[in-house]
Amino acid sequence: MSSPKRLFALAVLPVVFLAGCGDGSSKSSLSGSGSKSSSSSASSSSSSSLASPATKGNVDDIKVDTKNAKKPTVSIPKDKLPFGTSGAKIKMLSNGSGRAARGTDYVSADFVMVNGSTGKTIGSTFGERVPAFNLGDDRNLPGVLSNLKGRKAGDTFVLSLPPSQAFGSAGNQQLGIGPNDDLVLYMKVNKVETAQKACDTPSSDASLPKVEVPNKVTEQAKITFPKGKQPPTELTCSTLKEGSGAVVKAGQTISVRYTGQVWNGSVFDSTAKRKGQPAQFVIGKGQVIPGWDRTVVGQKVGSRLLVVVPSEDGYGAQGSTDQTGKQIIKGTDTIVFAVDIISAK
């Protein structure tokens, strides 16, 4: 496995919203890039051949059927096709409560995505466990970022995004989106969370795995799981050893050694497998799975962490595959990391 950077368009939804698509190649376990999005089954939907974007659509014409809450549908009347708006347009369907999302928050939201030009449904995340939107990741589609900011848990809305607020003139061939196709979305906000997750769970907690890290960097950590215990359902972090270095900040390039293992399963990746060479990547900016971005930021250089990552903070419902296409992390798996923070620049 090579670089731990996430090739965003190949990671699990909702990072399909990130501008610029990859080529389908598999990368490292931290990246999510071995996985296939839930929209992959719809990626063969042909895009339109519009000479220019449609601009006179009205979001009031978009119909959302939520009778089956687990499988809502979105439709555009045929006489309104091709559909498009001159700018990003939103129609609120219901208002939630709680704290409004800020620019550095993580927003868990389900969505149905439709090609406005053709009226074809591209994909849906309802009923799946998918990573949250990182509002601090400026690679996201600008129309999605701007319209998730300020939203609250329980908000539902219809959103129309012209190409300039979506995939731009390049479109997205994998999803069947042409350079002049409008995106139509029905979105339901489930949760708004702060970006940083404290590593404050006591290492003595009997429900957490125990970690032994050998002195040799070419030997992976031994992670022992508590017998008869189910994994935490929330992202959990424990400081096994607090370092004395500077506090890690979002946007810094960090150097780490780690071992990653499926809960009650096999080791799927470690720096020990690469002759103990530390992995380097930018933290807190969506280049690695959310479980890392949210726990490593705020910790001190020299610290050793135990990070327990449920699928929605890892690889989502699709899990992850290795370079041969073999499934190494299932969509229902909780994964566990022992992490040593070597440096931050």
Side-chain angles (χ1 to χ4, degrees):
M1 294 184 180
S2 55
S3 165
K5 293 182 179 180
R6 180 172 62 189
L7 294 182
F8 32 84
L10 300 177
V12 288
L13 291 170
V15 280
V16 70
F17 282 117
L18 290 157
C21 247
D23 60 4
S25 59
S26 176
K27 298 295 178 183
S28 126
S29 64
L30 293 184
S31 69
S33 49
S35 3
K36 298 177 182 178
S37 80
S38 64
S39 66
S40 60
S41 61
S43 63
S44 60
S45 298
S46 60
S47 60
S48 74
S49 56
L50 293 180
S52 61
T55 59
K56 297 181 179 180
N58 188 329
V59 289
D60 289 334
D61 292 327
I62 300 168
K63 308 299 181 185
V64 179
D65 186 344
T66 58
K67 291 179 182 178
N68 184 347
K70 295 182 179 179
K71 197 175 181 180
T73 59
V74 177
S75 60
I76 305 171
K78 290 184 178 180
D79 63 349
K80 303 297 182 181
L81 296 176
F83 181 93
T85 52
S86 58
K89 302 293 183 182
I90 188 171
K91 177 185 177 182
M92 296 300 300
L93 301 178
S94 65
N95 295 307
S97 60
R99 181 175 65 80
R102 297 188 290 261
T104 56
D105 285 339
Y106 279 73
V107 177
S108 298
D110 284 312
F111 65 87
V112 179
M113 182 195 291
V114 173
N115 185 320
S117 298
T118 64
K120 293 182 178 180
T121 298
I122 298 168
S124 172
T125 64
F126 281 86
E128 297 192 0
R129 301 173 68 181
V130 295
F133 290 91
N134 177 357
L135 299 191
D137 186 351
D138 57 11
R139 296 170 305 160
N140 279 283
L141 303 188
V144 172
L145 273 184
S146 61
N147 284 283
L148 280 179
K149 291 174 183 176
R151 301 279 75 83
K152 299 178 180 180
D155 281 358
T156 62
F157 55 93
V158 170
L159 180 63
S160 171
L161 297 179
S164 61
Q165 292 290 299
F167 291 100
S169 59
N172 186 312
Q173 186 176 359
Q174 282 183 302
L175 299 180
I177 300 170
N180 293 315
D181 292 343
D182 194 276
L183 282 187
V184 173
L185 305 163
Y186 164 66
M187 303 194 75
K188 179 179 182 292
V189 177
N190 299 315
K191 188 186 299 184
V192 175
E193 297 181 292
T194 56
Q196 192 170 324
K197 179 77 173 180
C199 283
D200 56 1
T201 302
S203 58
S204 58
D205 191 321
S207 66
L208 294 183
K210 302 302 178 185
V211 177
E212 297 177 48
V213 180
N215 290 327
K216 292 184 178 180
V217 297
T218 53
E219 297 180 3
Q220 61 196 27
K222 180 181 179 181
I223 301 175
T224 304
F225 297 91
K227 292 183 179 180
K229 299 289 186 180
Q230 294 297 312
T233 58
E234 300 285 338
L235 178 64
T236 303
C237 184
S238 176
T239 302
L240 304 179
K241 180 181 72 174
E242 185 174 13
S244 57
V247 172
V248 176
K249 298 177 181 179
Q252 287 187 312
T253 297
I254 64 168
S255 176
V256 296
R257 291 190 177 94
Y258 66 89
T259 296
Q261 187 167 346
V262 174
W263 185 281
N264 281 334
S266 303
V267 171
F268 55 83
D269 192 23
S270 71
T271 49
K273 294 181 178 180
R274 296 184 287 278
K275 299 181 180 181
Q277 290 298 312
Q280 293 186 335
F281 46 83
V282 175
I283 196 71
K285 292 293 183 181
Q287 291 197 13
V288 290
I289 58 173
W292 275 66
D293 275 346
R294 297 184 60 200
T295 54
V296 175
V297 172
Q299 308 310 314
K300 294 180 179 179
V301 172
S303 293
R304 175 170 294 160
L305 309 177
L306 169 67
V307 184
V308 182
V309 184
S311 64
E312 54 264 41
D313 284 301
Y315 301 93
Q318 301 303 311
S320 184
T321 58
D322 64 14
Q323 291 177 329
T324 68
K326 179 182 177 181
Q327 188 94 35
I328 57 173
I329 300 172
K330 295 184 293 187
T332 55
D333 283 340
T334 293
I335 52 180
V336 179
F337 293 93
V339 184
D340 283 319
I341 306 173
I342 308 303
S343 66
K345 301 178 182 178

